[in-house]
Amino acid sequence: MDRGNSSPLTLHGPHLSDEDWMRHALMLARRTAEAGEVPVGAVLIQDGNIIGEGWNHPIAAHDPTAHAEIAALRAGALTLNNYRLASTTLYVTLEPCVMCVGAMVHARIARLVFGAYDPKTGAAGSVFDLVAATQHNHRIELRGGVLAEECGALLSEFFRARRGGRKSVVE
């Protein structure tokens, strides 16, 4: 099974900041862009250690659910041998969509940190605010906008290149 998880898990330690972990997610996103997929990377942390990571690969996997967040959650669940991912933090370079936020709620992650806001499909405050929905029986702590400029620039450059140099509106 392709877990979207083949890079070495080298970062670790409780001393690392949200920005440090987001830089790791950005590294994964850059690899994704090189493969021709929308450059989004995600890393799942528990107790200062990477337990899962992922990147977008729906084209290569022929799978509409192959988002970076889903790959990181799947890898983390395999690492912990449990579908509940309590006391974890998920770092992702782009505000998650409805599907991904739903998976995070079901997995019971403790915290979500994302980079760029997504004004088209964001489900953590931009278009929808599923993270804050009081109907859920689980609450996720949220921090958005971490390294937002760098995360957004990577997406903009990717789409600009795909459109033959025309300016992208993704930011």
Side-chain angles (χ1 to χ4, degrees):
M1 175 169 101
D2 178 6
R3 295 177 4 181
N5 183 359
S6 65
S7 75
L9 305 179
T10 55
L11 291 178
H12 59 87
H15 61 282
L16 295 174
S17 68
D18 287 347
E19 290 76 12
D20 293 327
W21 293 118
M22 188 61 69
R23 284 184 191 92
H24 184 76
L26 271 163
M27 180 268 304
L28 297 171
R30 286 185 191 98
R31 287 186 189 169
T32 304
E34 292 169 7
E37 303 266 8
V38 175
V40 178
V43 61
L44 185 64
I45 306 302
Q46 185 179 59
D47 299 326
N49 296 300
I50 296 173
I51 62 167
E53 56 185 25
W55 46 88
N56 274 6
H57 61 285
I59 297 167
H62 308 289
D63 179 359
T65 69
H67 289 197
E69 302 92 314
I70 300 296
L73 293 173
R74 286 176 176 159
L78 288 172
T79 298
L80 297 180
N81 200 30
N82 193 337
Y83 75 104
R84 297 285 194 214
L85 302 171
S87 72
T88 61
T89 298
L90 182 67
Y91 294 88
V92 61
T93 57
L94 179 65
E95 179 183 2
C97 70
V98 170
M99 174 184 69
C100 292
V101 170
M104 291 173 211
V105 169
H106 286 289
R108 306 292 196 264
I109 69 164
R111 190 164 176 253
L112 166 64
V113 178
F114 69 85
Y117 287 86
D118 186 346
K120 294 186 178 191
T121 64
S126 290
V127 178
F128 305 103
D129 198 354
L130 296 180
V131 173
T134 58
Q135 296 86 350
H136 297 298
N137 62 352
H138 175 70
R139 301 287 175 268
I140 298 172
E141 181 184 331
L142 177 67
R143 181 177 179 207
V146 174
L147 302 181
E149 188 173 310
E150 191 173 344
C151 293
L154 179 61
L155 286 159
S156 292
E157 291 165 15
F158 175 80
F159 286 114
R160 190 175 302 120
R162 284 187 74 175
R163 292 184 180 115
R166 292 188 314 233
K167 185 172 180 174
S168 171
V169 295
V170 176
E171 285 186 304

